[in-house]
Amino acid sequence: MADEKENLVTVTSPLLPDLGQFSELLEDIWQRKMLTNNGHYHRQLETALADYLKVPYLSLFTNGTLPLMTALQTLGLRRGEVITTPFSFVATTHSIIWNGLTPVFVDVDPVSGNIDPAAAEAAVTTATVAIMPVHVYGTPCDTAALETLAAKHGLKIIYDAAHAFGVEVNGRSVLESGDMSTLSFHATKVYNTVEGGALICRSAGMKQRTDCLRNFGFIGEASVEEVGLNSKMDEIRAAYGLLNLKRVDAAIAARRAVADAYRAALKDVPGIRFLEDIPGVRHNYSYFPVFVDEKEYGMSRDGLFEKMQRHHVLARRYFYPLIPDFRCYRDTPAAKAAHVPVARRLADSVLCLPIYHDLKEEDIARVVACVVR
C-alpha cells in the first residue's frame, strides 16, 4: 500500500513556502506576541496582494467562502434574486442562500463554461438584484456584456474569482470588473495561504465596511454597528502567504509548461476537447479540464475517470454534479426552474487532469498514456 501511495499522481499539489524562511517569520510572530486581529503580517499581505493583483483595495479573509457571503452584505443585498451559474463549486450558491437571497440558475457558454450573458438577461425579473458569475477554471467571463446588462437593469455584479488569481485581460486585472470580486487561497489553488481568501473592493469606504463585517461588526473598540462575522485571517497564514507570493510567478510558469505538454500530446485525440489560451489574457493555469465526447472517444467520461483511478492517477470531475442536483438544492424552486442543458453537458463530460508546479515529466506521460488509447 505504501508503494501505491508513492505512485499516485494527484490532481493538485500545494505551493509551499521555503521552510527556513517560514520558521524565521514564525519566530518573529512569537516575539511580537500578536497572532491575529489585523497584525503586522496581515497588513503586509493585504498591501502586497493589492499591489501584485493591481487592485485598489483588498480585504483578507480566513477562507474563500466568507468573502462571497460578505460581499452581498457589503453591497446591502438582503432580499431578491441573484442570477448565477449552476456550473461552479457549491460555495457560490451557498453564499446566496446564507444571505436570504434566491439563486436563479442560468445556462453557460459551451466553450468556456462561464455564465451566458444572453441567458442571464433572459432571467432578469423585477425581483433581480444582482448577478454572481464565476470565472470558471480562471477563464475570464464576458465582463463587458455582463456589465452592460447590469447597467441596463440596475444590478450589482459580484464575481466569484476563486480560480482567477493573477488573471489579466490586455494588462488589466480581471478582478477590477464588477462591483466586487472574491478570491480563494485554499491549498488547491495556484496561490494559497493554506486556507484563506480575499474580497476586492472599489473604494476606501467599501473596504472599511467589509473590514467591519469581517470583525463582528465592530467600529472601534466599543461599538458594534451591524451583525458581522469573525472571518479575519491570522498572522501565521498571512506570513505563509507572503512567502508564497514570492514564488507564485514561477509556479504559474511551471503550470503553463504542464498545460502546453498536455495540449501537444492530446491535440489529435478524437473526442477530447480542452481549453486553449485566449489572446491578450494572462492565464494562471488553475486547472486543465478536458471534455470527453463519448461517441468520438469511444469511452465515457466516467469510464476514463475509473481507468485513471486504476492507474493511480487522481483526476477530478470538476464541476460535477451540477449545483441544482445536490440534495440540499434538488427540491428548491431554483433547481426545479433551471433549464441548463449546456451546463449539464459540460458537467457530464468534464475531467480535470492533474496540473501543478512540481508535476514531473514522467507523471505527465503517465496521465497522457491513460487518455491516449
Side-chain angles (χ1 to χ4, degrees):
M1 184 62 71
D3 289 341
E4 284 188 5
K5 287 183 178 179
E6 290 171 6
N7 288 328
L8 286 175
V9 182
T10 60
V11 73
T12 188
S13 175
L15 180 64
L16 301 172
D18 177 88
L19 187 57
Q21 292 180 332
F22 188 46
S23 296
E24 291 175 9
L25 294 190
L26 286 177
E27 179 61 34
D28 187 57
I29 290 169
W30 304 154
Q31 294 299 324
R32 291 176 183 274
K33 297 182 173 60
M34 188 171 188
L35 298 180
T36 188
N37 287 5
N38 199 33
H40 174 75
Y41 290 106
H42 181 284
R43 295 193 302 274
Q44 275 196 25
L45 184 58
E46 281 198 340
T47 299
L49 283 172
D51 182 60
Y52 178 88
L53 296 168
K54 302 179 181 177
V55 295
Y57 301 97
L58 178 149
S59 294
L60 286 172
F61 283 75
T62 194
N63 62 48
T65 302
L66 290 164
L68 285 166
M69 295 170 62
T70 303
L72 293 160
Q73 290 284 315
T74 298
L75 295 175
L77 303 177
R78 304 192 187 279
R79 64 181 63 179
E81 297 175 350
V82 178
I83 294 169
T84 191
T85 171
F87 191 63
S88 180
F89 187 63
V90 290
T92 309
T93 305
H94 282 357
S95 69
I96 297 169
I97 296 290
W98 270 89
N99 276 281
L101 297 157
T102 302
V104 175
F105 297 114
V106 300
D107 217 347
V108 301
D109 177 83
V111 176
S112 68
N114 289 330
I115 198 168
D116 179 351
E121 178 146 35
V124 174
T125 71
T126 55
T128 307
V129 295
I131 310 171
M132 188 177 281
V134 178
H135 300 296
V136 177
Y137 309 127
T139 301
C141 291
D142 186 346
T143 56
L146 288 170
E147 287 172 31
T148 297
L149 165 60
K152 177 180 175 181
H153 295 281
L155 307 176
K156 301 293 186 183
I157 301 185
I158 300 164
Y159 284 100
D160 181 340
H163 298 173
F165 183 91
V167 172
E168 297 178 1
V169 180
N170 298 322
R172 179 179 175 228
S173 172
V174 75
L175 302 173
E176 290 185 22
S177 302
D179 294 280
M180 305 190 93
S181 293
T182 71
L183 288 164
S184 169
F185 302 149
H186 186 269
T188 57
K189 300 298 189 289
V190 169
Y191 167 83
N192 81 90
T193 59
V194 184
E195 279 271 15
L199 185 50
I200 310 304
C201 306
R202 300 283 169 259
S203 67
M206 190 178 284
K207 175 170 168 53
Q208 183 179 33
R209 179 139 197 259
T210 295
D211 290 351
C212 168
L213 286 166
R214 74 176 177 188
N215 186 34
F216 303 99
F218 271 100
I219 296 290
E221 256 184 61
S223 177
V224 177
E225 299 295 319
E226 53 189 316
V227 179
L229 297 165
N230 179 20
S231 49
K232 310 176 296 294
M233 180 179 285
D234 60 77
E235 285 291 86
I236 295 170
R237 280 184 284 182
Y240 188 104
L242 277 167
L243 294 177
N244 268 349
L245 192 58
K246 297 176 181 179
R247 305 171 65 141
V248 71
D249 284 337
I252 291 171
R255 294 170 82 110
R256 176 173 185 164
V258 175
D260 288 344
Y262 280 147
R263 287 171 180 154
L266 302 177
K267 62 184 175 64
D268 296 322
V269 178
I272 296 293
R273 177 177 75 85
F274 48 76
L275 301 180
E276 299 281 5
D277 283 358
I278 301 170
V281 173
R282 182 201 185 220
H283 292 274
N284 67 8
Y285 309 96
S286 292
Y287 297 90
F288 193 88
V290 298
F291 300 90
V292 181
D293 184 318
E294 184 174 354
K295 287 185 178 179
E296 281 192 57
Y297 185 61
M299 179 186 290
S300 69
R301 182 277 309 275
D302 288 346
L304 179 56
F305 174 70
E306 290 162 7
K307 177 184 177 183
M308 288 186 157
Q309 286 190 315
R310 290 195 300 271
H311 288 81
H312 310 299
V313 174
L314 301 184
R316 186 176 180 190
R317 296 172 293 187
Y318 193 67
F319 301 102
Y320 171 83
L322 289 178
I323 294 173
D325 293 342
F326 285 116
R327 186 168 63 179
C328 60
Y329 289 114
R330 202 176 296 151
D331 296 326
T332 64
K336 290 177 180 177
H339 180 63
V340 289
V342 176
R344 193 164 300 285
R345 186 166 66 248
L346 294 181
D348 289 343
S349 64
V350 69
L351 191 63
C352 287
L353 304 185
I355 183 166
Y356 40 94
H357 64 287
D358 55 357
L359 188 62
K360 298 179 177 64
E361 287 186 15
E362 57 266 32
D363 288 330
I364 296 172
R366 286 176 58 198
V367 176
V368 169
C370 287
V371 182
V372 178
R373 301 170 62 240

